[in-house]
């Protein structure tokens, strides 16, 4: 006697770029899931269709879905939410993957249904290369995914979100949206801005001193690699997390002023101790 | 009839760490050269002896050498110079590999013999891992080596220095010591300081917020990798190139103030254009 086929869960991936495409590859071989994607622009829909079945309209992708992954830019998430409950399965779980959480969580909390269906998430799995053509089945493996519930999210819903991320090999870390935004402001958004300012300073100097190009080594390349990221995505981040980023930028500028004063003092032992302390912190990362 | 053995040139490597050790590996198979190294401390002499024959005293290493490579810290170079001419071969070529050139070149120029024997050099081949155990025969391959002659260095001596670096696969770029120091202040020394200040800011914040550790991703790791470098070496660099580093640090702080003002304006189009401009510059590196 044949074992009756267990009904597959439908996963809708809205916005199949690097993160959405990598989800598609990581989930693609799980037999209890059926995937469907959607991209707004037909060109990117076509590129994504090498990774998973793509729907021609968003409603069709979301209809009867058990999981809806919103993988679009941060500033589009809240406007997408209201149309989902009418289309998706009655117990659908909606998650996003964008880099800023507090504004999204606060606005989403205004929908009475949101605590039962929407859990904001942020996988720490970005790369400087975007687009579905850079998707990688192992992108999430061993990575942290921040799961930042709304004030009224029930434990059972939070648990479903945490378990979902285990499917792609990620480790869920539950955190308030506000704390999350503060942490990434320092570990991701500030470094991006600092690297951008460094490249900008270099670019201006290079116009008059083209030979400086030969003095670019692996250190400069490492330090500025993140500035290869998607400009539109980073513009959203800078707007949506401006308060926390501004706070750390101001703190950091004060730190640079201290260093500038230290340079003028020319005390070598002082510098050695400073770099030793910093290396110790860095080696623990 | 046997072809008479061509006399080998002797190469002394004073200070066999990452750079000196990598030179030893890259030159080790060249049959017209015989190598001998020297390290001050017996422990590091022992570690280096896996790479090349090590002399027990510095004089023995330098005696009758045709090439003397000074691979010690920046602030030791000038004090090593005066003893070399009496020991080395009469047409010996001395080069150093340290990161700051102007102070060394200026002080060396006071020795009347220096233009004929000493050419300051700087290979752009640093790594954050130091010591002879990290030596790599391919470290110099395809890398730029800045060759920064003294005011009176004859063309023939400069040419010998340029040709030496070709032996290890590097591309020599001739530049004045002052220009060199200005270029690397922006592409190497400032980035190091910025990364150190970022790690420092992070370290202080983490003391009260240990969970931030989970928010450290590949971007933060890339940006701060250079802070793993040797603290004593970087202390020397900060002292010996303080003027140029201070200049760019001040310029950079002004750039950050501009960005802080831009954050408060919250104009998204503006940010997108900014990040696009920066990405364009970065992609040309």
């Amino acid at each position: 006697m044949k074992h009756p086929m267990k009904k597959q869960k439908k996963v809708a991936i809205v916005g199949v770029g690097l993160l959405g495409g990598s989800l598609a590859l990581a989930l693609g071989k799980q037999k209890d899931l059926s995937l469907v994607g959607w991209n707004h622009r037909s060109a990117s829909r076509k590129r994504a269709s090498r990774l998973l079945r793509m729907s021609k309209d968003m409603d069709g992708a979301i209809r009867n879905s058990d999981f809806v992954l919103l993988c679009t830019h941060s500033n589009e998430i809240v406007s997408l939410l209201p149309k989902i409950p009418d289309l998706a399965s009655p117990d659908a779980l909606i998650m996003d993957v964008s880099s800023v959480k507090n504004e999204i969580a606060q606005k989403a909390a205004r929908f009475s249904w949101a605590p039962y269906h929407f859990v904001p998430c942020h996988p720490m799995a970005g790369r400087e290369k975007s687009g579905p053509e850079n998707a990688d089945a192992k992108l999430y493996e061993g990575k942290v995914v921040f799961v930042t519930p709304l004030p009224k999210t029930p434990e059972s819903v939070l648990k479903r979100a945490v378990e979902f991320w285990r499917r792609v090999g990620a480790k869920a870390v539950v955190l308030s949206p506000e704390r999350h935004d503060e942490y990434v402001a320092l570990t991701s958004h500030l470094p991006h801005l600092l690297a951008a300012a460094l490249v900008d300073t270099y670019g201006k100097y290079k116009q008059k001193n083209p030979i400086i190009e030969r003095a670019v080594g692996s250190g400069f390349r490492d330090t500025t690699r993140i500035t290869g990221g998607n400009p539109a995505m980073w513009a959203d981040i800078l707007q949506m997390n401006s308060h926390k980023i501004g706070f750390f930028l101001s703190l950091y500028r004060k730190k640079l002023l201290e260093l500038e004063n230290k340079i003028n003092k020319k005390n070598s032992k002082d510098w050695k101790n400073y770099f030793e302390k910093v290396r110790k912190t860095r080696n623990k990362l």
Side-chain angles (χ1 to χ4, degrees), chain A:
Chain A
M1 203 178 93
K2 269 193 191 169
H3 192 77
M5 180 89 170
K6 217 175 160 184
K7 196 183 166 291
Q8 284 184 314
K9 298 277 187 187
K10 181 177 172 189
V11 180
I13 300 177
V14 176
V16 184
L18 173 71
L19 290 175
S22 298
L23 270 181
L25 291 177
L27 297 171
K29 286 179 186 167
Q30 304 191 7
K31 290 189 177 159
D32 61 329
L33 300 178
S34 83
L35 310 181
V36 59
W38 182 75
N39 274 352
H40 183 67
R41 291 193 301 176
S42 66
S44 60
R45 205 152 59 227
K46 200 173 168 188
R47 284 183 291 146
S49 66
R50 269 173 284 177
L51 307 175
L52 78 167
R53 179 166 66 85
M54 294 296 285
S55 168
K56 272 184 189 162
D57 60 309
M58 192 172 76
D59 288 10
I62 295 174
R63 193 167 290 123
N64 300 323
S65 286
D66 301 285
F67 296 96
V68 179
L69 275 301
L70 300 177
C71 304
T72 60
H73 287 179
S74 304
N75 70 345
E76 293 167 7
I77 305 299
V78 174
S79 61
L80 286 171
L81 285 177
K83 56 185 71 162
I84 300 175
D86 289 342
L87 292 164
S89 136
D91 67 342
L93 178 64
I94 308 162
M95 292 174 281
D96 77 321
V97 298
S98 64
S99 315
V100 184
K101 301 269 68 100
N102 199 36
E103 187 178 319
I104 290 173
Q106 281 190 352
K107 287 185 176 168
R110 292 178 200 158
F111 304 120
S112 58
W113 56 267
Y116 310 98
H117 293 284
F118 175 54
V119 180
C121 297
H122 175 215
M124 294 294 294
R127 279 189 188 165
E128 74 281 6
K129 303 268 177 194
S130 52
E133 56 278 16
N134 291 298
D136 174 357
K138 301 195 171 202
L139 186 74
Y140 296 95
E141 257 179 38
K143 299 285 166 60
V144 164
V145 175
F146 286 112
V147 175
T148 64
L150 308 183
K152 295 185 184 166
T153 301
E155 199 58 41
S156 61
V157 174
L158 183 59
K159 202 178 154 200
R160 281 184 71 201
V162 167
E163 279 166 2
F164 177 87
W165 290 107
R166 253 185 236 140
R167 283 179 173 265
V168 295
K171 299 172 288 190
V173 173
V174 178
L175 207 62
S176 80
E178 209 195 335
R179 275 270 152 218
H180 166 274
D181 283 8
E182 188 161 313
Y183 291 171
V184 295
L186 178 50
T187 61
S188 167
H189 307 168
L190 177 67
H192 196 91
L193 216 48
L194 301 182
L198 179 59
V199 169
D200 191 13
T201 306
Y202 165 86
K204 283 219 174 69
Y205 182 87
K206 198 187 131 195
Q207 286 176 355
K208 288 186 182 170
N209 302 273
I211 306 297
I212 195 176
E213 202 168 36
R214 313 301 296 266
V216 169
S218 58
F220 194 80
R221 283 203 185 83
D222 280 352
T223 312
T224 59
R225 182 161 299 123
I226 48 177
T227 62
N230 184 306
M233 187 187 88
W234 280 99
D236 285 354
I237 290 172
L238 261 290
Q239 281 208 297
M240 292 177 72
N241 203 19
S242 59
H243 183 71
K244 304 276 189 194
I245 300 172
F247 168 78
F248 283 116
L249 182 53
S250 164
L251 198 72
Y252 183 84
R253 278 203 307 113
K254 281 184 198 115
K255 178 75 65 185
L256 289 191
L257 182 59
E258 281 170 38
L259 293 183
E260 208 171 315
N261 292 334
K262 198 203 279 279
I263 283 179
N264 297 327
K265 275 199 243 151
K266 290 199 166 212
N267 185 335
S268 173
K269 258 210 183 128
D270 214 36
W271 279 115
K272 196 178 163 215
N273 292 341
Y274 183 71
F275 288 131
E276 260 164 8
K277 184 185 77 171
V278 161
R279 181 163 72 168
K280 220 170 134 186
T281 305
R282 158 68 193 161
N283 283 347
K284 279 188 219 145
L285 291 185

